[in-house]
Amino acid sequence: QVQLQESGPGLVKPSETLSLTCTVSGGSVSSGSYYWSWIRQPPGKGLEWIGYIYYSGSTNYNPSLKSRVTISVDTSKNQFSLKLSSVTAADTAVYYCAREAVAKGYMDVWGKGTTVTVSS
Amino acid sequence: VIWMTQSPSLLSASTGDRVTISCRMSQGISSYLAWYQQKPGKAPELLIYAASTLQSGVPSRFSGSGSGTDFTLTISCLQSEDFATYYCQQYYSFPRTFGQGTKVEIK
């Protein structure tokens, strides 16, 4: 059973870079069958898709965040990561990593989420 | 970007009720729609994909229908564990987008 676990700082200062990692267990990020995604949810609000990465390094980002987002993969550690630069209070959210099967489009496995607060 | 409108935003119901949640698209998406359930403090869980296909392990009281621009999630006989927030998500085009959510609360 594949499990995903987010990790990273819970507090980030405005204008700095948010960095999170998702560790995959019970499966492999090198599987050619999946994209590895990031989604976020501001407090009391809905879900926003950030983007995904394929094991080869190919990425797809939400245009609304594209200028500030980098998603990378480390197959040796079975992890993938999110970097969001120049953060503001509007980036305060629960950040989820998730798995999306290739040629499917929906997320069938999610991490538990990690809360990131942007504040000085 | 495909915009999605879920209705209602809040639904008050009782155990045993049949409830219906609507999701309308700004443009046609064929059947490229998923539904998720989210409980407070938890990650979303996939219920339905391809508009009407039940994810493995999801109770049969959940069903989905629709295609094009109008979709529906139905819970045939509401159980206590079904009180949660439900989201639709389109995967017809990028970026993936979600509806704003429908909270199903106890009446």
Side-chain angles (χ1 to χ4, degrees), chain A residues 8 11 14 18 23 43-44 61 65 77-79 81 83-84 92 109-110 114:
Chain A
L11 180 64
L18 177 160
T23 300
Y61 298 142
L65 297 167
K77 294 181 179 179
N78 216 27
Q79 296 174 334
S81 299
K83 291 188 184 299
L84 182 65
T92 293
V109 178
W110 295 64
T114 188

Side-chain angles (χ1 to χ4, degrees), chain A residues 35 39 41 45-49 52 60-63 96 100 104-108 110-113, chain B residues 32 34 36 38 41-46 49-50 55 87 89-91 94-100:
Chain A
Y35 298 118
I39 299 101
Q41 185 171 37
K45 295 188 178 180
L47 299 160
E48 180 180 31
W49 180 78
Y52 67 47
N60 195 326
Y61 298 142
N62 192 324
Y96 296 101
E100 176 187 315
K104 297 299 183 183
Y106 48 85
M107 280 63 81
D108 66 339
W110 295 64
K112 293 182 178 180
Chain B
Y32 295 102
Y36 300 86
Q38 186 179 34
K42 301 293 186 181
E45 292 187 0
L46 178 66
Y49 59 91
Q55 172 72 343
Y87 294 93
Q89 178 233 328
Q90 66 81 22
Y91 49 97
F94 291 98
R96 311 290 193 222
T97 47
F98 293 86
Q100 76 272 31

